[in-house]
Amino acid sequence: MGNHIALQRLTVAFTTKAGTVKAANQIDAIFLGGQINGIVGETGSGKSVLGLSVLGLLPENRIVSGSILYKNRDLLQLPEREMNALRGKTMAFVPQNPDTALNPVMTVGAQLSEMFTCHAGTNAAEARLRAGEQMRRYALPSPEIFDRYSFQLSGGQRQRLLCAIGSALAPEWLIADEPTKGLDAVLRRQVCQLFQALRENSDLGILLITHDLRLAERLCDTVFVLYAGTVVEQGLAGELFARPFHPYTRGLIDAQPHKALAPLPGMPPSLIDLPAGCTFRLRCRQQTTLCSQQPPLQNVNGRQVRCWQYA
Amino acid sequence: MLEVYNITKTFGAGLWRRTRTLAVDNVSFSVKPGKTLGLIGMSGSGKSTLGRLALRLIPYDAGRIMFDGRDISDFTARRMKRLRTEMQILFQNPETSLNPRFTIAESMAEPYRLHGHRRQSDIAEQTEMWLQFVGLSTELLDRRPHQLSGGQLQRVAIARALSLQPKFLVLDEPTSMLDVSVQAQIIEVLRKAQQEAAYLFISHDLDLIRACSDEIAIMHQGRIIEQQPTEDLYRHPREEYTKKLLDAFVNF
Amino acid sequence: MSVTNKASIVYKLAAVSLLLLVSAAVFAPVIAPYDPNLVMPDETLQPCSAKHWLGTDALGRDFLSRLLYGAQVSIGFAVLAALCTTLLGVSLGVLGGYFGGVIDLVLQLLVNIFQGLPGMSLMIAIAGSLGPGSASLLLAVTLTSWAGFSRIVRGEVLKIKEESYIEGIRSLGGSDWYILRRYILPNLFNSLIILFTVRVGTVVLSVASLSFLGLGMQPPQADWGVMILDAKVYFRSYPQLLLAPGLCILALCSSIQLVGDALRDRFSIRQNTQQQDW
């Protein structure tokens, strides 16, 4: 498809008072255009950082190395002006938490129209028209909702609005950060259907960052499992969830309430104090002396796993 | 253990309380010792309010509450205070449930201070014991909440609630802000701690409630529309809303 | 704590000057070379000399001694007045904020009334009608400033009251007084430090203004404001008579504010978890 996003040896760290936070360590990954790519991880895994890196939205105290290739350009080397042009038009962002991501003092219609007037150079009247169309596409009752404010919408409507704004300019990529966080089951289902519709009706590539395994299982084509800043397993979603290889992936899947609700002992390591060797070593029931060395990503039947068991 | 009859609660907003919202509408349920009643509802169903009403943390407009065979509906604040050791609540957000200015040791000592036990050595011993019970090391005692993770904080909250050895515990979405693997750890601790206590487990995650509860009550718009033992509910759901809910989880 | 090296020099300077000023106030009786009210008619308006380090004023009183005793009066009174305002403002703010309902409504009404009255005019009215003197001055200053205080405190209390851990303590069996004592008041500390220190500065200015108008401290009492009043006539030829007390007021206000800032930074406990979810 040509619009793959390729991460090559991406390393992102942040300097903080408490030390250097190593949020991403030598990540190699290819996100395929036209598909839903899932980045799955828990708190402290570094998953949000990947999304922010692609969009060039990392905070000031960052130390980045490696490259993010998109259509033969390294996004990390692009000057800010070009990144700005890319954001919104080519790569759109659907942030977490619709309650705080929407401007409370602008009407819903205004926020959506803004996309058109600012980035597509349309005049106000046409922008309003296109905004109306976009809203209808996302099952938002236009024109009734047009002049309302975001706090007057329900949670599900807000989430749909965020997606509407994100995809307004028909971007090539949509990066969604935890779209179901804090939403209950009914809303989660709506969001899921929303993304499925998105995928079906366009060539849109989606990067779905989430800790919700069921969502990832349902929606994603490919899944990247992130632990303490490294990819520990990646592969086709269906197979990965049915037959996980890496001990962490297995543990994570088993910990779900509709599976065994089996706890994983211990806690993820602090990104400031990463242990030597395999990052999962201290919590792994199958650790051996080999694990004092960080294993490489191995190809096992089309799945990539970072574990000595499969070397 | 806890029996609630016809509880109704209306919230009024505005200066003269003119806008009224019926949060809980004529709800009755009971929880027996050693058992867990799962209360499931979506946002706005009134489940959190019901949890607090059951503990008389907020006043209700009508109904009766029986605890351990006694009618506590009209107990004064002083009598309720003595009862507080027997009925506790665990909150959803571990990061705000402890005073940020207190160390963990000080927060853990609160229940003892409140109920008259002041011997420092006793308190320290008990605190250590409960921390170990929930799987935390005593080196956390001198830290403050902002230095602990969500999972650790929730364990501290559990340890503190348990230190009073309550007979009834309301769990208000105790794991909804925690990661999947941490959630499993917390549930394990809660199971270990239950013994003869009665649990009211409030959540919006039906899979979780199914795994943890003996009976499930479905709450919608302030009413309990259906209540059945767990597996019976899955095999023979009666109400339309229940079926819709089951579908959203099972066929997700 | 976000005090950088450059900024901390400023704080250290502030702390030092505050210490100097307070020491001057406390040790005035010991270090002042002369009685501040001792009139020496032969030595009026003397320039700085070995005998009178800062010269003398129009009545031949040793200027340095007056300045030192002035520190005692100004700072002492300011601290006392700030304390009174704090006590009144905090108790009413906490009562209204915590208990709500009718109490809060009534207190809010009072606050609105008092805040609506123009401060300086009210002070003049009170001081004027009760007759000049420290007592009426204290009353005037306290009555005009407690309302703003109480409003801020009430806002803080409302915020703290909603925190989950307050509900937690209630569920553990904590009574209202227990919660107020152990949870609400300590958490107000951060704001109180700032409010208190700012208030001390404001009081000094208010008293100086009132004294200047003749309604504050009465001569011959050595108060910086009175000294500025006295210097009004002579300052063109003898600027030090005006500049010295003025600079002292400036030094007091700024140093106490900076020190308050630093204390708040030092003692504030991080409220939010530091974990950024990467």
Side-chain angles (χ1 to χ4, degrees):
Chain A
M1 198 112 359
N3 44 351
H4 306 320
I5 301 178
L7 272 55
Q8 288 180 351
R9 303 173 69 77
L10 180 68
T11 305
V12 181
F14 299 97
T15 47
T16 66
K17 263 182 295 203
T20 314
V21 177
K22 303 177 205 65
N25 297 300
Q26 306 273 355
I27 301 216
D28 287 304
I30 300 183
F31 302 128
L32 299 169
Q35 290 193 17
I36 304 189
N37 301 270
I39 300 179
V40 166
E42 298 184 297
T43 312
S45 58
K47 60 187 189 305
S48 296
V49 163
L50 292 185
L52 294 174
S53 306
V54 171
L55 290 163
L57 292 175
L58 292 171
E60 289 280 306
N61 56 342
R62 63 182 184 268
I63 309 170
V64 186
S65 69
S67 45
I68 300 181
L69 297 173
Y70 181 66
K71 291 196 166 158
N72 284 319
R73 292 196 292 177
D74 183 358
L75 297 182
L76 292 175
Q77 306 293 339
L78 280 186
E80 184 59 16
R81 230 166 40 99
E82 293 190 47
M83 271 313 286
N84 247 336
L86 210 69
R87 277 184 224 127
K89 273 209 286 214
T90 317
M91 297 207 177
F93 187 50
V94 177
Q96 262 185 54
N97 203 341
D99 296 339
T100 54
L102 290 167
N103 188 337
V105 296
M106 271 176 87
T107 59
V108 154
Q111 288 186 63
L112 196 43
S113 309
E114 202 179 37
M115 290 298 281
F116 299 107
T117 52
C118 289
H119 295 282
T122 58
N123 60 36
E126 192 185 335
R128 205 189 152 92
L129 220 81
R130 289 175 74 171
E133 272 169 30
Q134 185 73 345
M135 283 169 114
R136 277 186 288 276
R137 216 173 277 145
Y138 283 85
L140 290 165
S142 162
E144 295 90 12
I145 283 207
F146 215 86
D147 294 313
R148 297 241 186 100
Y149 291 89
S150 55
F151 58 84
Q152 293 171 301
L153 269 53
S154 72
Q157 287 175 323
R158 272 180 244 160
Q159 188 61 270
R160 293 206 290 282
L161 180 63
L162 270 185
C163 290
I165 294 177
S167 59
L169 300 169
E172 291 170 25
W173 273 96
L174 197 68
I175 299 176
D177 191 1
E178 303 270 21
T180 56
K181 192 168 199 178
L183 297 184
D184 62 32
V186 174
L187 287 177
R188 186 172 66 167
R189 199 180 214 186
Q190 288 178 7
V191 171
C192 192
Q193 288 165 341
L194 191 58
F195 278 96
Q196 280 174 319
L198 266 173
R199 201 259 236 102
E200 249 129 71
N201 300 333
S202 59
D203 285 338
L204 194 58
I206 299 179
L207 193 58
L208 183 70
I209 302 169
T210 186
H211 67 276
D212 187 342
L213 294 174
R214 291 200 85 180
L215 185 74
E217 191 175 355
R218 193 83 179 76
L219 273 181
C220 302
D221 298 300
T222 329
V223 170
F224 297 78
V225 180
L226 218 59
Y227 183 77
T230 10
V231 174
V232 295
E233 188 164 357
Q234 71 187 61
L236 295 175
E239 291 172 20
L240 191 142
F241 283 103
R243 269 168 307 277
F245 288 165
H246 195 279
Y248 173 63
T249 320
R250 276 213 207 108
L252 199 58
I253 292 174
D254 284 338
Q256 292 177 93
H258 68 281
K259 300 278 180 182
L261 200 54
L264 261 176
M267 276 175 57
S270 146
L271 291 173
I272 296 176
D273 261 316
L274 285 174
C278 175
T279 43
F280 189 63
R281 177 165 54 102
L282 298 164
R283 303 170 77 184
C284 187
R285 282 178 213 162
Q286 291 132 7
Q287 76 155 306
T288 65
T289 48
L290 280 174
C291 304
S292 55
Q293 294 272 52
Q294 168 85 305
L297 263 183
Q298 308 276 8
N299 195 322
V300 185
N301 298 339
R303 190 101 56 88
Q304 309 268 49
V305 195
R306 195 185 291 275
C307 181
W308 290 116
Q309 284 178 63
Y310 302 92
Chain B
M1 179 61 51
L2 183 91
E3 294 153 286
V4 162
Y5 299 101
N6 309 104
I7 291 288
T8 305
K9 173 75 184 170
T10 314
F11 282 109
L15 187 56
W16 307 113
R17 303 278 184 266
R18 222 169 277 163
T19 342
R20 317 212 108 228
T21 327
L22 188 59
V24 174
D25 189 0
N26 202 5
V27 165
S28 305
F29 66 87
S30 69
V31 200
K32 302 199 177 26
K35 298 278 184 215
T36 304
L37 173 65
L39 184 63
I40 176 139
M42 297 295 109
S43 339
S45 54
K47 57 191 192 297
S48 291
T49 312
L50 186 58
R52 284 164 173 72
L53 288 172
L55 290 179
R56 288 200 61 200
L57 275 180
I58 48 181
Y60 46 85
D61 302 325
R64 256 191 336 139
I65 300 185
M66 309 271 293
F67 181 70
D68 214 2
R70 291 168 284 171
D71 188 335
I72 66 169
S73 321
D74 296 313
F75 270 29
T76 60
R78 181 177 292 171
R79 291 182 83 182
M80 278 310 296
K81 178 176 175 179
R82 257 176 279 142
L83 259 192
R84 288 279 167 234
T85 55
E86 301 182 32
M87 32 167 45
Q88 279 299 295
I89 182 165
L90 197 64
F91 296 106
Q92 181 181 15
N93 188 348
E95 291 167 15
T96 56
S97 53
L98 295 175
N99 188 343
R101 298 186 74 92
F102 283 6
T103 58
I104 301 299
E106 286 168 340
S107 281
M108 292 280 314
E110 282 300 271
Y112 300 101
R113 292 170 118 258
L114 276 170
H115 295 279
H117 313 290
R118 282 181 208 288
R119 292 265 301 279
Q120 268 307 112
S121 49
D122 284 347
I123 297 181
E125 210 183 290
Q126 290 281 304
T127 303
E128 239 184 77
M129 185 188 85
W130 286 112
L131 274 184
Q132 279 165 356
F133 183 84
V134 299
L136 288 175
S137 110
T138 48
E139 57 175 40
L140 294 178
L141 281 173
D142 290 321
R143 304 212 194 135
R144 294 212 155 83
H146 70 263
Q147 294 168 296
L148 269 60
S149 72
Q152 288 173 319
L153 286 171
Q154 200 61 307
R155 284 186 214 230
V156 171
I158 294 176
R160 190 168 75 160
L162 289 179
S163 61
L164 290 172
Q165 300 183 291
K167 295 191 191 147
F168 175 57
L169 191 58
V170 173
L171 303 159
D172 187 7
E173 308 214 43
T175 56
S176 63
M177 302 194 77
L178 302 174
D179 285 319
V180 167
S181 59
V182 178
Q183 171 173 268
Q185 292 174 339
I186 296 293
I187 298 292
E188 186 186 50
V189 173
L190 286 171
R191 276 196 182 134
K192 193 168 85 159
Q194 184 166 18
Q195 298 181 8
E196 285 312 303
Y199 277 5
L200 178 65
F201 196 115
I202 304 174
S203 176
H204 62 262
D205 183 347
L206 189 58
D207 293 320
L208 186 60
I209 288 206
R210 183 187 192 178
C212 301
S213 320
D214 299 297
E215 247 188 88
I216 300 182
I218 314 245
M219 198 156 177
H220 181 55
Q221 291 179 340
R223 289 217 188 95
I224 290 187
I225 57 161
E226 188 166 350
Q227 180 173 340
Q228 285 199 68
T230 309
E231 286 314 309
D232 291 347
L233 188 85
Y234 271 79
R235 270 181 244 135
H236 312 288
R238 288 195 281 253
E239 301 292 321
E240 270 314 298
Y241 183 75
T242 312
K243 293 187 189 151
K244 217 176 71 166
L245 203 60
L246 285 171
D247 189 50
F249 279 92
V250 173
N251 298 326
F252 178 62
Chain C
M1 277 203 294
S2 50
V3 179
T4 65
N5 260 331
K6 222 192 286 180
S8 70
I9 293 182
V10 173
Y11 287 123
K12 287 191 182 122
L13 273 175
V16 166
S17 50
L18 187 62
L19 196 63
L20 281 174
L21 289 167
V22 173
S23 318
V26 170
F27 295 114
V30 176
I31 48 179
Y34 295 88
D35 176 349
N37 295 319
L38 179 62
V39 172
M40 291 172 272
D42 315 319
E43 298 177 39
T44 62
L45 296 172
Q46 296 284 310
C48 308
S49 65
K51 193 171 176 214
H52 297 282
W53 288 9
L54 284 180
T56 60
D57 70 359
L59 290 178
R61 297 175 288 200
D62 178 49
F63 202 59
L64 179 63
S65 309
R66 277 188 75 72
L67 212 56
L68 289 171
Y69 271 88
Q72 204 174 57
V73 175
S74 298
I75 299 178
F77 184 82
V79 170
L80 181 62
L83 269 173
C84 288
T85 311
T86 306
L87 275 169
L88 191 58
V90 168
S91 26
L92 293 183
V94 165
L95 277 176
Y98 188 79
F99 290 106
V102 179
I103 303 179
D104 191 29
L105 274 173
V106 168
L107 287 173
Q108 288 271 72
L109 200 64
L110 274 176
V111 165
N112 281 330
I113 292 174
F114 273 90
Q115 271 203 309
L117 300 168
M120 193 43 93
S121 317
L122 185 62
M123 277 200 279
I124 295 175
I126 296 177
S129 54
L130 293 177
S134 323
S136 65
L137 201 57
L138 190 62
L139 195 64
V141 169
T142 310
L143 283 180
T144 47
S145 51
W146 76 269
F149 228 87
S150 136
R151 179 165 265 178
I152 296 176
V153 167
R154 175 181 176 273
E156 287 286 308
V157 170
L158 284 178
K159 209 171 54 167
I160 299 172
K161 198 172 68 145
E162 295 309 313
E163 295 281 1
S164 212
Y165 57 85
I166 299 287
E167 207 181 1
I169 289 301
R170 216 175 269 131
S171 75
L172 282 173
S175 67
D176 287 328
W177 293 114
Y178 186 84
I179 292 175
L180 278 172
R181 186 168 51 94
R182 261 177 85 69
Y183 288 81
I184 309 271
L185 287 176
N187 279 324
L188 283 175
F189 183 69
N190 286 352
S191 330
L192 281 184
I193 284 257
I194 296 290
L195 286 174
F196 181 80
T197 51
V198 170
R199 178 91 338 240
V200 169
T202 327
V203 169
V204 170
L205 288 173
S206 304
V207 170
S209 316
L210 283 176
S211 305
F212 185 75
L213 291 172
L215 289 170
M217 303 294 186
Q218 295 302 297
Q221 206 166 20
D223 160 73
W224 288 339
V226 173
M227 291 168 74
I228 296 182
L229 172 63
D230 290 341
K232 193 173 61 169
V233 182
Y234 305 99
F235 81 96
R236 259 188 246 277
S237 331
Y238 305 93
Q240 78 273 17
L241 295 179
L242 184 68
L243 287 175
L247 282 172
C248 285
I249 294 182
L250 178 65
L252 178 68
C253 291
S254 12
S255 57
I256 205 170
Q257 206 150 323
L258 286 168
V259 169
D261 247 356
L263 279 178
R264 186 202 50 186
D265 281 345
R266 174 78 179 73
F267 286 111
S268 76
I269 293 182
R270 195 113 47 107
Q271 301 282 78
N272 313 312
T273 47
Q274 63 192 11
Q275 296 284 18
Q276 161 104 11
D277 184 9
W278 304 110

